[in-house]
Every structure is written in structure tokens, then in C-alpha cells.
Amino acid sequence: LRLSKPRLLLAYLTTANVIARACAEFDAIVTAGPGDMTVAEVTRAAAAHRAEAILFTNTLPLTAAAIAGLPDTVRVGATSSVGYDHIDVAAAKARGVMMTNTPGVLDECTADHAMMLLLSAARRGAEYDRIMRKGWRYRIGQGDLLGVRVTGKRVGILGMGRIGRAFAQRARGFDMKILYHGRSRLPADLEQGAEYYADFHAMLPHCDFLSIHAPGGAATERLIDARALSLLPNGAVLVNVARGSLVDEEALLAALTSGKLFAAGLDVFRSEPDFDMRFAALENVVLSPHVGSGSVETRDAMGFRALDNIAAVLSGRPAIDPLWAIDPL
Amino acid sequence: MPKLVLFVTRRLPASIEALAEQQFEARLTPSDVAITGLAAKAAGADAVLCCPGDMLDEKTIAALPDSVKVIGTFSVGYDHIDVAAVKARGIRLCNTPDVLSVATAECAMLLILAAARRAGEGERLIRSGHWQGWAPTQLLGTQVSGRRLGIFGMGRIGREIARMALGFGMEIHYRDMTRLPPDLEQGAIFHDNDDSFLPICQVLSLNAPGGEGTRHWLNKERISMLPPGAVVVNAARGTLIDDAALIDALRNGQIAAAGLDVYNGEPRLDPGYLTLENIVLLPHLGSATTETRDAMGRIVLAGIGAVLAGETPSNLLT
């Protein structure tokens, strides 16, 4: 039995609710800002505080070298994100530092955001908003500035995990026909009538809309390339709330400029925040700054889930969302 | 037999102008400006096809030539037409019902999501080139999934929105004059008064018709009955909202965000809206999909053709 609270380093800027809970349940030191802590700052602060746990997000690149530099007191690192391509999990495991993420709590929010981008891209929401803020003041002809209808169309989903399925649920409310590609076919209760394509490229000619919900990484690198885009029907709409690495941005820019694609809705980019500003010069894209999980409720839930993981590990229980499996004794 | 003459007051989608020319001796007007001097321009016409914004008031209708037997409007709403005056002259009137319900509901759902998730602010940040990168506290919006949605006016468009919102796990409430039968209600909760309705509306969607009965329905008093941080959208008629009260509530945070497609006095909307960050604004394009405008053109031309052939089309208003 320990009487003192476990020592936590809260290394990223987060919501007031998460900070309050971290400070109530832990002996926590919190980043002073203005930004999230760098690796050097985390290393220094963790050593000074003799931190047992670090709570961070995908702004902290925990490479093998960074993990090697952490003090021995650190037993768990929790990222407030689903993605963990910023963590060298093997290096963490080799040092015996448990790493956890926050799956499950942001599915609904991210699916909402994908549907927002889909509707806004199809119905030219961002372009219309710019017209308004310039004052409007003119009549728009009945044949002008028309969008494309969403209801009743076909949507292809690349990656039918939890977020892809939550997105499919929303699309069904618009009477959309759901097609999907993933590594394997889902059981019927999860598929809910969606049509499976084992071959991603065979699905594309049937997609009036294509929404990306697959993870990043080498296996999906530039899956959306010039060939994939050329296979879509003319006037298709692309939505990406997953990872920028899945898209060949030169090919996407070409397809948006040529009119091959009607529009795109993008929340993620190959490079962030210094994304390719040529996208910002296009009228037929809707852009958002990687805020797929950006609701107060969801960001709270992500931070809480990360704190739950830390509390579990530090009290000797298994992590809820371990990124490396503990070897059986 | 020569074709009947149709005078069209405005430029229409090319496919519909082609259809008009196929069915009628169509006199097209390649302009996006509201029609003036209609009586002279419609001389000898059997039918007139007008658009919202064309003011067909009592005087204009009285001056129409006797040759005009039917007026079609390229819209579902007809508050720009003096229907009593049309009726008094024995002219028939048809519109474009039903075919734009889905497109307008899509637009309302877009406004709900974009307002709640601060899409306009995100767009402006990113296009400015000043985005500093992902941060857990940046531009946090309100979650739409699982929220309570209140629909004011549960007609065709309101019911389409309800169906879409169910996919987001929203709890649907509605306020109307009468309760719907269960097959149309689909589990939505009916309110016969504002006092029970407004406090549950975490998201409020206005879908009632315009006119005096609903003029400035969303006023200061009703806004104060909404839960703090509510999201309000209007894809119906601008007259439903008291602009000054809504702008106040958006400024002081009583309403978290709003999405509007329609305005009092459009296109000259209240400039107070233009400087607010927490609002998404669309220029009355609820029905603006190629598919919908095409369907609207087809149904109104079919209605005009039917009247001139002595038949009674389903979209006949009077």
C-alpha cells in the first residue's frame, strides 16, 4: 500500500476537465505551454519529477532514442490518440515501459466529422460560406453553383474498423449504398448489408463517394494514387479523416483541378501543420485542421481513458489498451 | 398544331431550358435578376414560369395578359406570389413539391454538423496558412452524436432530417400543431407547446413554413428557453428568426453556434452575421443539387403542360 499519489507528467495541452482529474488523482506536473512538450522537455521534466507515468499525444515523437533517454522511474506512457505511429513500441517494450492508446472513445465523433466533410464537399458548404462572408448581394441562377446529391448514392469505405462502421451507420440514414474494402470480410452482424470487395481497385468504379478510414503506415502508403483516382466515376467525392499518408497529394490535386473529382473533404494531410497550400487555393475542397476527434466530450473521454490506463498499470493491473502484450509468465 | 408559348422569367439549368424548348415555344430570359415589367414581356404567352424573388404581387397579376392561363414557380414556397389574386383572375398555379425535401434535409444536416464542429473556423484557419498543428484543445466543437434534436415543423423536410439524424444516434423531438401517425413519427417525441419543447433542444432545426404565423418565432424569449450552448439551424425561411436576438445570443455564447441557409431580406442579410465566427452561412442553396434542380424543372414543366392540356396535375396549388 502506498500513501503518496503516483507521479505523473502531463506533457500536452489538454482540456480543463482532463487536467483537473490528472491533478486530483495524481501527483501531476502539467506542461506550462505555450505548446506541447518536446522530447527534450519531457526527458528533463520526467527526471526532475521522477515521473512514473507520462501522458502525451501524437505531437511527441517517442523514437527508440527518446525512449532510451527516459528515466528508469517511468513505467507507462499513455498517448491520448488512437494512432501510435509516433511511438517506437518495440523499443518501449524492450525497456519494459508499457505504452497505451485510446481506442473506442472517438469513433462516433470522427464518423460525425467524416459525414460533415462529405456533406460539405458534396453540397459546397465551405464555398457557400465564403460567398456569404463577402456579402452575397446577388441572385444565384437556378442552374448555378449546384452541388451533388448525397442521399441514395453509393459510398465506398476504405477500412471498415470501428470508425468505418460508425460512418456507415450515418451513411445509411441517407439511404446510401455501402461498399467496403478491408483486409478481410466482416461477419454479417457487423457488415449490416454492406457489400465487401476483396480487391480495393475493383470497388472504385462503383463509388460515387469514397471515405478513408484505414490506418496509416507502409501497408496503406499512397493507396489513393493516380490509378485509384482514375478508377472512380467522374465527379466522385473523396473524404479523408484517417491519415494523410494514404493519399498521393499530387495525384489528388490533379484530379481536383481536372474535374475528375467533384470535390474533396480533407481533415488530414501528408505533412501537418505545414500542409500543401495548393489545397487552400482550390474552391472544391473542404479543409479542416485534423479535428476529427475535436469535440469537448471526446477530448475529455480520450484524456480520461489515458488516465485510466495509467492508473491500471501503476496499481499493478493490466493496461486496458496495451500497445504491447505482456508476455505470459 | 403550333406549340404553346411559355415565358420563363430567369435563366434555368441548361437541361431544363432544353426541355422547355422541346415542349413549348419557350421564351427564355438569360438573366439572374428578378423580373420586372412581366405583363409586357408575357404578352401572348399561355404560361409563365417564375422563380423565388420575382414579386408577383396583386398589381403584377392584375396586369398579366388574358392569354396567361397558368403560372408555374420554380420552388416549393410561393410567398412571392399573391395566390388570392391569381385565383381571382382564374389563373392556375403550380409549384415543385416533394422533390426538394431530401436536398434541403441534407443541407440542414450539413449545417448542424458544420456549426457544431466549427467547420467555418477550421476552414478559415487552414486557408490562412497560419495553422500551427494539431492540439487537443484546438477548435473543440460540440458532439452531434447522441444529442437531442428538436425539429420545429415536422413536414416532409423535417421528417427527412429526423431519418438522417437517427443514423447519428440522436434523440428526436418535434414541435408541430398536430401529432403525426406512428408510421411517420418513427419514434420521435411530440411536443404540443414551446415550454416543453425548447428546453430539450440541444440542437434546434427550424423547418416550418414562413408567413405571419411563424414570423420571428425564434425570438429573445424562446432563445432564453433553450439549453445553454445549443446549436440552431435554419434551412426553411429567414422570417422564422429575429436576427437581432440570434446575433446577441451567438455573441454572448448562450447559443454555441448557428447554421443558416435563409435570411430576413435576403440577399441583403443582417451584416451582424458576417463577422461572427460561430456561424456557418449558406446563400439559400438548400435545393441546390443538379439532381434536385432537374427534378424541380421537370415537375413544374409537367404541371404547366398538364394544365394547358386541360388536366389536373398533382402539383396544382390553385
Side-chain angles (χ1 to χ4, degrees):
Chain A
L1 183 76
R2 64 184 285 173
L3 294 174
S4 61
K5 290 179 184 172
R7 293 181 302 279
L8 168 71
L9 172 60
L10 185 54
Y12 74 115
L13 297 170
T14 184
T15 64
N17 288 332
V18 172
I19 293 171
R21 199 185 129 186
C23 291
E25 296 176 13
F26 295 87
D27 173 8
I29 55 167
V30 180
T31 178
D36 297 347
M37 283 182 163
T38 62
V39 168
E41 288 166 342
V42 164
T43 308
R44 210 176 310 125
H49 189 53
R50 295 178 55 241
E52 297 160 274
I54 304 172
L55 176 48
F56 56 96
T57 184
N58 56 13
T59 52
L60 185 72
L62 280 184
T63 59
I67 287 165
L70 292 175
D72 290 336
T73 50
V74 175
R75 292 165 56 201
V76 54
T79 181
S80 174
S81 61
V82 168
Y84 52 90
D85 28 358
H86 53 297
I87 304 171
D88 188 329
V89 176
K93 187 173 180 182
R95 264 209 78 177
V97 179
M98 175 50 84
M99 290 286 163
T100 65
N101 66 341
T102 60
V105 294
L106 45 63
D107 304 339
E108 306 295 318
C109 194
T110 308
D112 283 358
H113 198 76
M115 189 50 84
M116 189 275 282
L117 288 177
L118 186 151
L119 285 166
S120 192
R123 299 296 304 273
R124 305 171 74 153
E127 190 181 354
Y128 292 168
D129 190 72
R130 285 192 290 278
I131 290 170
M132 296 308 295
R133 286 175 193 270
K134 286 177 198 155
W136 191 10
R137 300 291 189 278
Y138 63 92
R139 294 275 170 200
I140 296 168
Q142 293 280 329
D144 293 342
L145 287 172
L146 298 187
V148 297
R149 180 188 281 216
V150 171
T151 302
K153 295 281 179 69
R154 303 165 298 180
V155 61
I157 299 176
L158 171 59
M160 197 67 153
R162 276 190 295 248
I163 298 173
R165 297 198 299 273
F167 175 80
Q169 189 56 36
R170 284 149 182 75
R172 286 187 190 98
F174 293 80
D175 286 339
M176 299 186 91
K177 183 180 179 193
I178 319 282
L179 322 174
Y180 74 100
H181 167 74
R183 273 170 304 185
S184 53
R185 186 168 176 178
L186 294 175
D189 59 319
L190 294 182
E191 197 173 58
Q192 299 265 320
E195 190 179 331
Y196 177 63
Y197 281 81
D199 178 352
F200 174 57
H201 291 104
M203 175 175 83
L204 294 174
H206 308 288
C207 299
D208 302 311
F209 294 82
L210 178 64
S211 191
I212 304 175
H213 300 282
T220 57
E221 171 74 20
R222 287 192 167 84
L223 206 50
I224 311 297
D225 57 5
R227 179 190 168 210
L229 291 167
S230 75
L231 288 169
L232 289 167
N234 291 334
V237 173
L238 175 75
V239 172
N240 189 6
V241 294
R243 280 289 179 267
S245 64
L246 281 104
V247 176
D248 177 339
E249 292 187 340
E250 286 297 333
L252 176 57
L253 282 162
L256 285 163
T257 320
S258 71
K260 171 68 193 178
L261 289 184
F262 179 78
L266 306 174
D267 187 47
V268 289
F269 305 87
R270 184 156 284 281
S271 175
E272 297 174 8
D274 50 336
F275 76 107
D276 191 327
M277 284 291 284
R278 285 178 294 172
F279 284 113
L282 296 177
E283 284 291 351
N284 60 340
V285 294
V286 180
L287 306 169
S288 62
H290 202 152
V291 288
S293 64
S295 72
V296 174
E297 297 88 339
T298 296
R299 288 288 162 76
D300 281 351
M302 291 164 70
F304 293 162
R305 182 82 175 201
L307 288 170
D308 290 343
N309 271 294
I310 290 170
V313 172
L314 294 184
S315 64
R317 287 177 280 128
I320 307 159
D321 308 298
L323 292 178
W324 54 270
I326 302 164
D327 292 330
L329 291 171
Chain B
M1 187 180 149
K3 285 177 177 172
L4 295 165
V5 177
L6 170 70
F7 177 73
V8 181
T9 62
R10 300 262 206 110
R11 193 163 58 90
L12 299 178
S15 59
I16 296 307
E17 291 191 338
L19 190 64
E21 287 185 311
Q22 201 184 314
Q23 295 178 0
F24 301 93
E25 184 193 324
R27 294 192 205 152
L28 304 175
T29 307
S31 159
D32 295 325
V33 178
I35 193 82
T36 50
L38 177 61
K41 289 172 182 167
D46 299 285
V48 170
L49 175 50
C50 69
C51 293
D54 297 333
M55 294 312 294
L56 272 68
D57 54 15
E58 192 178 1
K59 207 174 132 195
T60 305
I61 288 159
L64 284 175
D66 289 336
S67 59
V68 174
K69 297 169 199 72
V70 54
I71 297 169
T73 181
F74 199 98
S75 61
V76 65
Y78 44 89
D79 30 0
H80 54 295
I81 301 170
D82 188 328
V83 177
V86 170
K87 205 169 179 177
R89 280 211 55 185
I91 297 173
R92 316 307 295 269
L93 177 64
C94 47
N95 66 344
T96 64
D98 302 351
V99 293
L100 41 63
S101 304
V102 160
T104 307
E106 282 179 1
C107 185
M109 205 65 221
L110 161 60
L111 287 172
I112 290 170
L113 288 163
R117 297 298 297 275
R118 302 173 65 173
E121 287 164 272
E123 260 275 329
R124 285 188 286 281
L125 170 68
I126 202 165
R127 283 183 193 263
S128 74
H130 297 311
W131 181 28
Q132 298 294 320
W134 194 89
T137 51
Q138 182 177 60
L139 284 177
L140 293 191
T142 303
Q143 190 140 331
V144 170
S145 297
R147 294 253 155 180
R148 291 190 305 260
L149 169 65
I151 298 173
F152 177 65
M154 196 67 157
R156 286 193 191 90
I157 295 170
R159 296 198 298 272
E160 289 289 346
I161 294 169
R163 204 169 50 83
M164 291 167 183
L166 285 173
F168 292 78
M170 300 187 89
E171 180 183 302
I172 319 287
H173 296 248
Y174 71 101
R175 165 92 174 90
D176 211 319
M177 286 177 289
T178 53
R179 186 168 175 179
L180 293 172
D183 60 317
L184 294 182
E185 198 172 56
Q186 295 282 322
I189 298 155
F190 173 62
H191 294 260
D192 63 3
N193 68 89
D194 294 340
D195 293 345
S196 74
F197 176 67
L198 288 165
I200 64 90
C201 294
Q202 292 174 315
V203 179
L204 171 64
S205 178
L206 304 182
N207 300 99
E212 278 313 308
T214 56
R215 189 174 170 72
H216 292 187
W217 179 80
L218 190 67
N219 55 18
K220 187 176 178 183
E221 188 197 343
R222 290 197 177 88
I223 286 172
S224 73
M225 294 164 69
L226 292 169
V231 172
V232 171
V233 304
N234 185 10
R237 279 288 178 265
T239 52
L240 289 162
I241 291 178
D242 175 342
D243 291 329
L246 179 59
I247 289 167
D248 262 0
L250 284 164
R251 282 199 181 125
N252 67 28
Q254 194 176 1
I255 290 179
L260 304 178
D261 186 44
V262 290
Y263 309 87
N264 285 297
E266 61 189 42
R268 305 193 71 82
L269 68 155
D270 190 317
Y273 286 123
L274 301 180
T275 51
L276 291 172
E277 282 292 339
N278 54 344
I279 191 163
V280 176
L281 304 166
L282 311 180
H284 201 154
L285 290 172
S287 66
T289 65
T290 306
E291 298 88 336
T292 298
R293 290 283 163 85
D294 211 63
M296 289 167 70
R298 285 174 189 280
I299 194 172
V300 73
L301 287 175
I304 290 169
V307 169
L308 293 178
E311 297 158 14
T312 305
S314 62
N315 57 333
L316 192 67
L317 287 166
T318 176

